[in-house]
Amino acid sequence: MVVAGRTSGVPAAPHGLPGHLVDFVEALRTRGIAVGPSETVDAGRVMSVLDLLDREALREGLACALLRRPTHRATYDALFDLWFPAAVGARTDGTGDVFVEIPRGEDGAVDFEALRELIAGLLVDGSPEALDLIEQLTAQLVEQLGQYQSAKGPSFSAYQAMREVAPETLVSRILDGLLGNTVEGEHEAADYATEIARRTAAQRVADFRKMVEIETRRRSAEHLGKERVASYGVPKLAEEVDFLRASDSEMVALRRTVTPLARKLASRLAARRKRARAGAIDLRKTLRKSMSTGGVPVDLVLRNPRPARPELVVLCDVSGSVAGFSNFTLLLVHALREQFSRVRVFAFIDTTDEVTRFFDSGADLGASMSRMIREADLIAYDGHSDYGNAIGVFAERFARTLTGRTSLLILGDARNNYRDPNTAALTNLATVAKHTHWLNPEARGQWGSGDSAAKVYADVVPMHECRNAQQLAAVVSGLLPI
């Protein structure tokens, strides 16, 4: 492994290995990963006992010392590849006994059909030797096909390197290769083997894409600087991913943050309840007690606190545009249900229905979400969001669920498709409930643009920007009643 080298005559680690480690830790902090002095010292001790030439051992050792959450691993790995690259400079020459080159025709042009066959064959093999050849091929793809000239000199693009290769076409070839030696048996066994092979083929193609992206970042960092590449080329932490832009894999990572996030919020609620346990000052009893001290209120008498926990009602938009945000927030509310005396959940698209029954304690949350969409009465007209009608239906059919002890949370982007916002119904609901808050996953600057009725609703009830899990946690921890 190369830790310090020279690119364009500038030392890669001018302050030696300790300074390089400190720079790496600072990069982790910049990306939102909390790393303290004690973790940095532990990382230094790890580096002092590991074989620095074993790059993967170093990666795992530093991860054990520096990371606290598994959801931070993708960001950590991307930064590790920049600060501890596999090589410095182009890797177009073979360094081992076996070497592979990009196939070319007689005219010197790349033979992409032969290249696809070569890549598919190596991915089918999957042996350590084949992986070494894939790494060599990846370096050549980035250097020869992904390089282009920009205003600031040579640059590299993973998209350009992969455009003609079309890795999505490799899945069927890899699948055929993996199933080529399968012995035909019972139908059920054959289906099982096919499914396993299909998942394996898709995973190997995804790993190949990732190798190209890593190599592209490495080469770009040598020309642009690793700090600049880290600012745009490193995956965000799961809790910083925008709900409305999250991919399927990012939503999976987000769901893994629900339990620790709920645990943290529950501990905050417990601390707030403990501080508020004394209650407010009982002025009448305090003045009566002060008669024994000449009218001076030496001893304050406090009201007895109400032991009952508050009630929570959630009204959420589950249409496609905000489904990821609503699903994550419902998962969070489900994890926090023990903090409330009662939790009732209502969902809507263009009409409203109660869906509390799908979120019973111990229920599988993924299955609950699917059942809610299939079985609940959420669409009355065209299936497009209609906040005005949904709020009106809730006020007409379910207004009794709100009392003076209820906190109402409304989840949605307020994109009303230019329909009547029905603010009168929302005003009545806010008057009955003890607290009413609206959580909006859109950026504040987009409120009121296009078909958004966010500013109209914000004049009726407090509206809070909740674009990611980090913002949601901050808002919910401040809003949840005690």
Side-chain angles (χ1 to χ4, degrees):
M1 181 198 69
V2 179
V3 175
R6 290 182 179 271
T7 303
S8 302
V10 180
H15 302 292
L17 202 55
H20 194 71
L21 174 61
V22 171
D23 289 342
F24 176 57
V25 169
E26 185 61 31
L28 294 174
R29 292 172 178 165
T30 301
R31 297 301 300 181
I33 299 178
V35 181
S38 61
E39 287 87 356
T40 306
V41 172
D42 290 341
R45 292 173 178 171
V46 166
M47 294 184 71
S48 67
V49 298
L50 289 179
D51 180 5
L52 299 183
L53 296 179
D54 189 342
R55 185 164 174 265
E56 291 309 310
L58 179 62
R59 182 196 299 270
E60 298 302 324
L62 292 181
C64 291
L66 298 174
L67 295 185
R68 301 177 184 176
R69 299 182 184 176
T71 54
H72 294 171
R73 186 58 191 257
T75 303
Y76 165 85
D77 282 336
L79 290 172
F80 181 90
D81 290 330
L82 291 176
W83 262 257
F84 299 89
V88 172
R91 296 191 294 174
T92 56
D93 297 329
T95 57
D97 297 333
V98 182
F99 182 58
V100 65
E101 291 183 337
I102 295 179
R104 295 181 180 273
E106 295 180 357
D107 58 353
V110 176
D111 186 344
F112 286 104
E113 185 61 28
L115 177 59
R116 295 187 193 100
E117 289 293 340
L118 176 59
I119 295 173
L122 293 174
L123 292 179
V124 168
D125 188 335
S127 65
E129 294 77 11
L131 292 179
D132 290 339
L133 295 179
I134 282 289
E135 287 188 2
Q136 295 178 22
L137 203 57
T138 297
Q140 295 179 50
L141 285 173
V142 173
E143 187 70 25
Q144 299 177 28
L145 303 182
Q147 185 173 175
Y148 66 95
Q149 293 296 323
S150 65
K152 297 184 179 180
S155 191
F156 300 86
S157 166
Y159 169 76
Q160 183 170 311
M162 300 290 283
R163 181 177 54 190
E164 298 295 338
V165 176
E168 64 276 3
T169 65
L170 301 177
V171 176
S172 60
R173 304 187 189 198
I174 298 172
L175 182 60
D176 292 339
L178 292 174
L179 294 175
N181 298 324
T182 301
V183 178
E184 294 186 2
E186 296 182 0
H187 180 72
E188 183 177 350
D191 289 345
Y192 177 77
T194 300
E195 181 62 24
I196 294 297
R198 183 178 292 110
R199 295 187 183 186
T200 301
Q203 184 60 50
R204 291 186 181 180
V205 171
D207 292 342
F208 175 65
R209 285 180 177 273
K210 185 177 180 180
M211 291 172 65
V212 174
E213 293 171 357
I214 291 173
E215 180 67 13
T216 302
R217 285 197 297 263
R218 182 186 73 83
R219 297 292 284 130
S220 298
E222 292 178 350
H223 290 270
L224 303 176
K226 52 184 178 290
E227 290 82 4
R228 181 177 177 184
V229 174
S231 66
Y232 68 82
V234 172
K236 291 183 178 180
L237 299 180
E239 54 265 35
E240 294 181 349
V241 174
D242 284 5
F243 290 118
L244 302 186
R245 296 177 176 84
S247 63
D248 292 341
S249 59
E250 288 172 332
M251 285 306 301
V252 170
L254 264 174
R255 292 188 183 100
R256 288 200 294 265
T257 68
V258 169
T259 301
L261 181 58
R263 191 181 301 117
K264 179 187 294 185
L265 293 179
S267 63
R268 290 180 182 176
L269 282 175
R272 287 167 59 188
R273 286 198 183 99
K274 185 177 181 180
R275 289 194 298 268
R277 188 172 296 170
I281 296 176
D282 189 327
L283 183 60
R284 181 179 178 181
K285 292 183 178 180
T286 298
L287 292 178
R288 181 179 298 174
K289 191 172 184 179
S290 68
M291 296 178 64
S292 62
T293 56
V296 179
V298 176
D299 297 321
L300 298 180
V301 180
L302 304 179
R303 297 183 184 275
N304 294 325
R306 295 181 178 179
R309 293 182 178 182
E311 301 174 356
L312 181 65
V313 171
V314 182
L315 178 62
C316 61
D317 182 1
V318 294
S319 61
S321 60
V322 292
F325 165 67
S326 297
N327 288 356
F328 181 84
T329 309
L330 287 178
L331 292 176
L332 181 62
V333 169
H334 184 272
L336 287 170
R337 63 186 304 118
E338 298 300 328
Q339 302 298 318
F340 303 93
S341 61
R342 183 175 63 168
V343 176
R344 298 186 69 174
V345 182
F346 299 84
F348 68 88
I349 295 180
D350 60 23
T351 190
T352 304
D353 192 13
E354 183 169 7
V355 296
T356 308
R357 63 188 183 278
F358 300 117
F359 297 92
D360 294 334
S361 179
D364 180 81
L365 299 184
S368 298
M369 294 292 182
S370 301
R371 286 187 58 203
M372 176 184 70
I373 298 298
R374 291 196 313 268
E375 302 177 21
D377 183 16
L378 306 177
I379 299 176
Y381 304 109
D382 55 5
H384 294 91
S385 296
D386 187 343
Y387 281 77
N389 185 65
I391 293 173
V393 170
F394 179 82
E396 180 181 347
R397 296 177 53 192
F398 307 109
R400 297 178 185 176
T401 61
L402 301 180
T403 67
R405 296 178 55 247
T406 304
S407 291
L408 174 62
L409 283 184
I410 304 175
L411 316 177
D413 59 2
R415 293 281 170 183
N416 201 34
N417 294 294
Y418 301 102
R419 294 168 174 171
D420 179 15
N422 197 2
T423 55
L426 181 60
T427 301
N428 292 335
L429 296 177
T431 302
V432 175
K434 182 178 182 180
H435 304 289
T436 303
H437 296 279
W438 191 306
L439 309 186
N440 193 326
E442 281 196 335
R444 189 178 298 272
Q446 297 178 352
W447 295 0
S449 63
D451 63 344
S452 172
K455 289 188 176 180
V456 175
Y457 289 126
D459 291 336
V460 180
V461 298
M463 185 171 289
H464 310 272
E465 179 187 285
C466 294
R467 291 186 294 111
N468 52 52
Q470 196 171 52
Q471 284 187 332
L472 178 64
V475 170
V476 170
S477 65
L479 296 183
L480 285 181
I482 57 174

